[in-house]
Amino acid sequence: MSANADWLARSQAAVWHPCTQMRHHAEQASPAHLPLVPIARGAGPWLYDFDGKRYLDGISSWWTNLFGHAEPRINAALRAQLETLEHVMLAGFTHQPVVELSERLNALTGGALGHAFYASDGASATEIALKMSFHYWRNVGRPEKAEFLCLAGSYHGETVGALAVTDVAIFKDAYAPLVRHAAHVLPSPDFRLAETGETPADIARRAAAGLADWLEKNGERTAALIVEPLVQGAAGMAMHDPEYLRLARQLCDRHEVHLICDEIAVGCGRTGTFFAHEQADIRPDLICLSKGISGGYLPLSVVLCSDTIYNAFLDDSVARAFLHSHSYTGNPLACRAALATLDIFATDDTLTVNRRKAQKITAALAPLAAHPQVAHLRQRGMIAAFDVSTADPHFSRRFYRAALDAGALLRPIGNTVYLMPPYVVGDDEIALLGQVAGQALEIALR
Ligand SMILES: *Cc1c(COP(=O)(O)O)cnc(C)c1O
């Protein structure tokens, strides 16, 4: 038995893999069969299995990895931190990495969202932002503000609380009876929904009109609107014009409703600016960050909030305080990985370098634009996507398999194929991703 096959069999028997019908791993004969890929090590944008085959990580290992696997500078920072302090509880204690990271994040918001609250995953960050918003309104004497708004196709995590603002059927439907106060779902500004003659800005304005209508009637009892700025990832890289965010900001101000930007996927330079919302020239009241913030190394999430929100919790009464905690809140190793990641943005001038890489990605996918079954080729910074028209319910798995065979990790969302590589991807590797996408498309459509 090859080393790969051994790990594969042992994993199948003992590990319950996420977001997976485990039978699809076991039944090799099924058209739905998904190969489980045992990874021995990573280096830069490449992952290596136990038999020496390598895969180009075209989706940054679920959108987390920014500067490649086993990045030497992040490794060195973590080694040093390991020798100093691996963890201490954050209630009643503090430490260097969490203070420095909070200061750096504050500076990245221009000082506007200067208070950082920590957790370990994105779904928890979503729940923290929702709880903070609700509790803020309660603290200022507006307890009736207890409803949330999200966009059609929104994804903000899969814990029972976060599912309330997630609108992706495959994640939500089975658990609908558990989700207690589902948020109101608003029309999405996704520019694929534009009617003939409508520009992306037009559909943004049309979607914002829906928000305006809702707030006119229900603003009094609405606490917050949560959005994935510019790109709704799990919806299938649904992109919208920044105009939507500008209008949403104005409407939220008018109706005294918080604007929460979930930058878990789009933050950390993914769309071209450090935060996606910067492209609309607005400031949210709350920001959720996770995924890339630790460079894809360790579970870490952060909620950043304004002075106004923070100050409403200051009081002699414990009940007005934000009584929320996770055991690993502000873990020093995770914060150190995040600091090393932010250092790389500065020393490598990542945002500038990425502008050129984004053009290479555009060029690598350009030949597919003419394909008769490809539609809506679109891009925002280091995210590029297209939709494939096919009635085959197994398209996504067949494409994924064909891409793996050709040496790249590309995992479509339904019929949407996307590239979201680590920022260290080289020009030749970008070209390879384009080639593999074209090849896998032909095989999957056969
Ligand atoms: C991944 C993601 C989340 C959830 O993060 P987890 O760490 O997987 O819980 C929330 N919001 C967005 C936009 C995401 O992409």
Side-chain angles (χ1 to χ4, degrees):
M1 197 188 248
S2 76
N4 267 351
D6 183 37
W7 286 114
L8 201 147
R10 286 168 63 184
S11 193
Q12 230 154 259
V15 182
W16 197 339
H17 292 266
C19 203
T20 299
Q21 169 49 264
M22 289 300 290
R23 246 183 133 162
H24 293 165
H25 283 321
E27 290 179 2
Q28 304 229 2
S30 153
H33 177 63
L34 259 176
L36 192 58
V37 189
I39 293 301
R41 65 186 182 91
W46 294 94
L47 296 164
Y48 296 81
D49 73 12
F50 287 83
D51 295 338
K53 183 174 161 69
R54 65 176 193 166
Y55 303 92
L56 185 53
D57 189 350
I59 59 164
S60 300
S61 285
W62 260 354
W63 323 346
T64 59
N65 191 288
L66 299 189
F67 296 110
H69 299 277
E71 208 289 328
R73 291 168 287 184
I74 302 177
N75 287 2
L78 280 175
R79 273 195 207 99
Q81 186 61 43
L82 263 177
E83 298 301 331
T84 319
L85 177 69
E86 81 302 331
H87 185 65
V88 63
M89 60 189 281
L90 200 64
F93 291 81
T94 195
H95 53 81
Q96 190 179 345
V98 80
V99 172
E100 287 180 2
L101 179 58
S102 306
E103 291 172 352
R104 297 270 290 273
L105 293 171
N106 176 350
L108 283 166
T109 69
L113 285 91
H115 307 276
F117 194 98
Y118 291 86
S120 312
D121 58 80
S124 297
T126 294
E127 298 205 11
I128 287 164
L130 300 180
K131 282 176 73 176
M132 256 182 200
S133 172
F134 166 77
H135 200 163
Y136 167 87
W137 293 117
R138 202 180 75 157
N139 279 350
V140 300
R142 308 279 303 274
E144 72 284 2
K145 281 178 144 337
E147 306 271 316
F148 296 102
L149 300 175
C150 63
L151 300 183
S154 60
Y155 179 91
H156 300 289
E158 294 168 49
T159 54
V160 172
L163 276 178
V165 288
T166 285
D167 181 48
V168 178
I170 55 160
F171 299 127
K172 188 159 185 173
D173 285 0
Y175 310 104
L178 302 183
V179 181
R180 300 189 54 119
H181 285 286
H184 179 70
V185 177
L186 292 163
S188 167
D190 177 355
F191 61 54
R192 291 173 300 178
L193 304 173
E195 286 164 12
T196 326
E198 263 190 334
T199 65
D202 290 336
I203 176 141
R205 283 188 279 272
R206 188 149 61 81
L211 169 62
D213 278 352
W214 179 265
L215 288 177
E216 212 54 63
K217 299 185 194 89
N218 306 287
E220 290 290 315
R221 57 185 177 86
T222 304
L225 162 67
I226 184 166
V227 295
E228 295 160 83
L230 300 185
V231 185
Q232 295 180 269
M237 302 301 158
M239 301 187 185
H240 58 255
D241 193 278
E243 178 72 359
Y244 183 79
L245 301 170
R246 281 190 284 274
L247 294 170
R249 177 70 276 181
Q250 286 168 15
L251 290 164
C252 286
D253 283 343
R254 186 176 313 153
H255 293 276
E256 296 184 288
V257 166
H258 289 141
L259 177 61
I260 304 171
C261 280
D262 176 349
E263 297 253 2
I264 290 168
V266 294
C268 301
R270 204 30 99 170
T271 66
T273 42
F274 189 82
F275 294 115
H277 69 258
E278 291 170 43
Q279 293 177 48
D281 211 11
I282 57 148
R283 293 243 185 255
D285 301 288
L286 294 145
I287 296 174
C288 300
L289 273 183
S290 188
K291 291 204 167 95
I293 187 62
S294 72
Y297 265 67
L298 287 160
L300 179 70
S301 62
V302 196
V303 176
L304 301 172
C305 81
S306 63
D307 286 348
T308 309
I309 291 178
Y310 179 77
N311 289 337
F313 288 79
L314 303 180
D315 190 80
D316 286 334
S317 123
V318 170
R320 285 176 68 110
F322 191 56
L323 299 184
H324 183 103
S325 50
H326 296 283
S327 309
Y328 284 97
T329 294
N331 175 257
L333 287 165
C335 291
R336 182 56 72 197
L339 284 165
T341 299
L342 294 179
D343 283 344
I344 297 177
F345 273 95
T347 51
D348 291 3
D349 198 9
T350 300
L351 296 179
T352 308
V353 172
N354 279 1
R355 277 201 281 280
R356 206 190 54 82
K357 290 195 182 174
Q359 288 169 4
K360 295 279 175 192
I361 294 175
T362 313
L365 290 184
L368 292 175
H371 193 289
Q373 280 167 275
V374 167
H376 301 297
L377 183 58
R378 57 194 179 275
Q379 188 173 356
R380 179 75 70 176
M382 295 294 280
I383 308 174
F386 58 85
D387 303 331
V388 179
S389 49
T390 165
D392 178 5
H394 299 298
F395 168 78
S396 164
R397 286 189 212 104
R398 295 184 61 214
F399 181 100
Y400 168 75
R401 266 203 94 153
L404 281 178
D405 289 342
L409 164 50
L410 291 174
R411 197 175 194 265
I413 301 170
N415 287 2
T416 299
V417 173
Y418 69 95
L419 304 187
M420 198 160 162
Y423 304 161
V424 291
V425 71
D427 291 355
D428 291 350
E429 290 154 347
I430 291 172
L432 180 64
L433 287 174
Q435 278 161 28
V436 172
Q439 246 171 284
L441 185 64
E442 287 314 321
I443 294 169
L445 290 176
R446 213 172 270 160

